[in-house]
Amino acid sequence: MRFQIHGFDLRKERRGTKFYTGSVVAFGHPWKLVIYPRGHSTSPTDAKYVSIYLCYTPDCSNTFQSVVAETTIRTKSRKIKIGERTFCPSDEQPGWGTKKFSKRDDILSKDCDNNGTLTIDVDIEVLKLTKPNRCGLKNIF
């Protein structure tokens, strides 16, 4: 999957503030990224980091099944293997990723193009579907 964030270099979110990409369908399942351009509120404070998380975003027609998948998130200069994780259709579990994907200055200088667009590729292998209770979801109807 490929996500392009146009104008990433101009984003003004403060540390701890996130934004969502649009959804992309892969292997019949919708996915999006949650990005903190200046780091998650719990990321280290020694530098400004970019935090990136992959989220599973099904609608009601998917019967709230969870997806077990193995993933890698990468840019031109950085690659983080998330490994095998259970992705749940819930706002309570925002996804899997890392609070310190890369330093913000490195993203801006090494990964954004001349127009300030950041391209993030996600490699994903869906391993299986699971029942909703595997994620601890309660009263979902």
Side-chain angles (χ1 to χ4, degrees):
M1 295 180 287
R2 176 164 281 182
F3 297 88
Q4 291 190 311
I5 298 95
H6 301 286
F8 182 83
D9 60 334
L10 302 175
R11 297 205 66 103
K12 301 294 184 198
E13 288 88 354
R14 295 180 181 189
R15 184 173 188 268
T17 304
K18 64 188 172 197
F19 74 91
Y20 297 88
T21 64
S23 290
V24 173
V25 175
F27 298 104
H29 302 283
W31 306 88
K32 66 182 172 185
L33 295 177
V34 178
I35 301 173
Y36 295 80
R38 287 181 174 74
H40 189 276
S41 60
T42 61
S43 62
T45 57
D46 61 323
K48 289 181 184 171
Y49 287 90
V50 174
S51 305
I52 302 175
Y53 300 87
L54 179 65
C55 299
Y56 172 50
T57 58
D59 60 19
C60 294
S61 65
N62 275 349
T63 65
F64 294 97
Q65 287 185 314
S66 302
V67 173
V68 178
E70 196 166 293
T71 61
T72 300
I73 300 172
R74 57 189 169 82
T75 59
K76 283 191 245 180
S77 70
R78 188 92 166 105
K79 177 168 99 172
I80 299 286
K81 183 174 182 167
I82 304 303
E84 183 178 321
R85 298 285 189 264
T86 300
F87 290 85
C88 302
S90 168
D91 290 336
E92 295 172 16
Q93 295 190 344
W96 293 100
T98 179
K99 59 186 169 186
K100 54 182 216 176
F101 180 80
S102 185
K103 290 182 180 178
R104 179 174 170 79
D105 289 342
D106 290 342
I107 292 275
L108 295 176
S109 65
K110 298 176 183 176
D111 296 322
C112 287
D113 67 14
N114 292 337
N115 296 317
T117 298
L118 173 62
T119 300
I120 301 171
D121 290 308
V122 177
D123 303 320
I124 187 164
E125 180 182 357
V126 173
L127 304 174
K128 64 182 175 180
L129 300 177
T130 64
K131 295 180 181 177
N133 61 3
R134 294 287 306 261
C135 296
L137 299 177
K138 299 175 186 172
N139 302 322
I140 59 175
F141 296 106

